[in-house]
Amino acid sequence: PGCSGPCYPGRQTGTMEVALRSAVEESLAAYAHSNAVFMAERLVACHPSPESSHLLATAYHAAGETHRAYSVLNPATTPRNRYLLAVCAFKLGKLQDAENALMAGGFGDAPGGIGDGAPNPAYCSLLLGQICRAANRTERAVEHFQRALRICPTLWVAWQNLCQLGADEAAESYFREDAMPPPAQIPLYLQLQTGPGASSLPVANLALDASTPARPSLS
């Protein structure tokens, strides 16, 4: 059931929202997916927002409930929600929906970062490549995988896809020391994983888990 105010009498709305978010993030970090889903559902009921929806969809996705994650995010209004929507749509075989979500978010041809919590553009290009490959648009898929590697040479799965598509690509053309991004360009969330007070949340890239969609559908 929804809430028009604080879920628990006597507690400030802001305090409860922070508590629920923390509970979801802690549960995800501990791989307690069922608890993460329950807490995230309470969060959305009491404090609906694109950020709350993203957290709930993340919990559903982690719990293997891709259909529910897709439903929560559709329609998506923020870049990171569009990206996660695209991941879910791809896994469900909704190739056109997945591509539309990415293109609507400006991921298709943007040269730099999208901002607002969106992932590195390399992962967006990887996902677009996977979508095009599943739709038998091989030439376009190759272009997206090559772009992903130019942005992020350590995105090895993109090179793997290129090899599987028969593209004549030498690993050394991407994976070499002078092509590695300097520390200043390494995403902050990755730096936090190894520094003092590192975040407990596991870093997972959803696109890498989306390599095999369900029965593709272009409708």
Side-chain angles (χ1 to χ4, degrees), residues 168-189:
D168 185 15
E169 297 286 339
E172 295 78 9
S173 63
Y174 296 105
F175 197 73
R176 61 184 192 279
E177 188 169 354
D178 63 350
M180 295 299 109
Q185 294 181 19
I186 296 176
L188 178 60
Y189 74 89

Side-chain angles (χ1 to χ4, degrees), residues 94-173:
K94 299 177 181 291
L95 301 183
Q96 192 62 62
D97 287 354
E99 185 171 8
N100 288 344
L102 289 173
M103 301 308 289
F107 296 123
D109 299 305
I114 303 298
D116 194 23
N120 184 317
Y123 295 99
C124 301
S125 292
L126 170 64
L127 183 53
L128 280 167
Q130 291 170 324
I131 292 167
C132 290
R133 181 179 178 182
N136 296 317
R137 292 155 54 194
T138 303
E139 290 186 7
R140 192 63 173 147
V142 167
E143 292 175 3
H144 286 303
F145 291 136
Q146 289 173 332
R147 179 173 183 269
L149 281 170
R150 286 195 298 271
I151 299 171
C152 181
T154 57
L155 197 50
W156 200 249
V157 69
W159 182 80
Q160 184 181 46
N161 273 275
L162 286 173
C163 292
Q164 292 170 348
L165 291 173
D168 185 15
E169 297 286 339
E172 295 78 9
S173 63

Side-chain angles (χ1 to χ4, degrees), residues 6-216:
C7 293
Y8 298 91
R11 296 288 298 275
Q12 293 184 357
T13 301
T15 301
M16 181 53 59
E17 182 176 3
V18 170
L20 288 171
R21 288 184 182 278
S22 296
V24 176
E25 292 171 356
E26 185 177 74
S27 296
L28 287 171
Y31 306 101
H33 298 149
S34 295
N35 195 67
V37 166
F38 181 82
M39 290 292 103
E41 288 174 342
R42 303 284 72 73
L43 174 65
V44 170
C46 297
H47 307 284
S49 69
E51 293 75 20
S52 296
S53 294
H54 183 271
L55 204 52
L56 176 56
T58 299
Y60 279 146
H61 183 273
E65 300 183 55
T66 309
H67 282 89
R68 299 182 76 179
Y70 176 86
S71 296
V72 165
L73 293 167
N74 194 24
T77 57
T78 65
R80 66 174 180 172
N81 282 14
R82 290 189 185 101
Y83 176 77
L84 182 51
L85 175 63
V87 169
C88 293
F90 177 70
K91 283 191 169 185
L92 295 172
K94 299 177 181 291
L95 301 183
Q96 192 62 62
D97 287 354
E99 185 171 8
N100 288 344
L102 289 173
M103 301 308 289
F107 296 123
D109 299 305
I114 303 298
D116 194 23
N120 184 317
Y123 295 99
C124 301
S125 292
L126 170 64
L127 183 53
L128 280 167
Q130 291 170 324
I131 292 167
C132 290
R133 181 179 178 182
N136 296 317
R137 292 155 54 194
T138 303
E139 290 186 7
R140 192 63 173 147
V142 167
E143 292 175 3
H144 286 303
F145 291 136
Q146 289 173 332
R147 179 173 183 269
L149 281 170
R150 286 195 298 271
I151 299 171
C152 181
T154 57
L155 197 50
W156 200 249
V157 69
W159 182 80
Q160 184 181 46
N161 273 275
L162 286 173
C163 292
Q164 292 170 348
L165 291 173
D168 185 15
E169 297 286 339
E172 295 78 9
S173 63
Y174 296 105
F175 197 73
R176 61 184 192 279
E177 188 169 354
D178 63 350
M180 295 299 109
Q185 294 181 19
I186 296 176
L188 178 60
Y189 74 89
L190 289 179
Q191 297 180 38
L192 293 176
Q193 296 302 305
T194 55
S199 169
S200 60
L201 272 175
V203 175
N205 190 279
L206 300 175
L208 300 185
D209 296 330
S211 57
T212 306
R215 294 175 58 188

